[in-house]
Amino acid sequence: GDRPEASSFSVGQEVVVSQDVNFMHVPGHKSGFNAKGSVGTVLRIYTEPNLSCTREVKVQFTEPKKWVGHFEPWEIEPN
């Protein structure tokens, strides 16, 4: 299908997580945190072709506490 590219996002852009994505490193959520519906700000986009980073969009969140997650472009959308 037509999956978005990481380059369709920009640093500083507000995005919302549109898919069920579980993160194990969110403070206070030892059993995992489903980020779907969370709103964050794009911190960095890894576009270097030599990077093996599969989740190339780095997003900063402030809820439930301050944390950072890496996403694939199709897991997020502009808010």
Side-chain angles (χ1 to χ4, degrees):
D2 288 335
R3 289 196 160 180
E5 298 289 317
S7 57
S8 64
F9 295 96
S10 55
V11 172
Q13 181 177 20
E14 190 175 77
V15 295
V16 60
V17 182
S18 57
Q19 305 295 321
D20 289 310
V21 192
N22 269 303
F23 287 93
M24 304 307 290
H25 66 280
V26 179
H29 293 265
K30 284 188 170 63
S31 59
F33 175 75
N34 185 349
K36 186 172 185 178
S38 295
V39 174
T41 304
V42 177
L43 272 188
R44 181 166 174 199
I45 298 160
Y46 298 89
T47 53
E48 297 85 352
N50 59 337
L51 273 184
S52 58
C53 183
T54 54
R55 310 174 81 86
E56 61 258 53
V57 185
K58 184 177 184 181
V59 182
Q60 167 84 65
F61 297 90
T62 54
E63 299 291 331
K65 292 184 178 168
K66 198 170 182 181
W67 64 284
V68 171
H70 291 83
F71 293 86
E72 294 185 50
W74 57 272
E75 294 173 332
I76 55 177
E77 55 190 40
N79 190 34

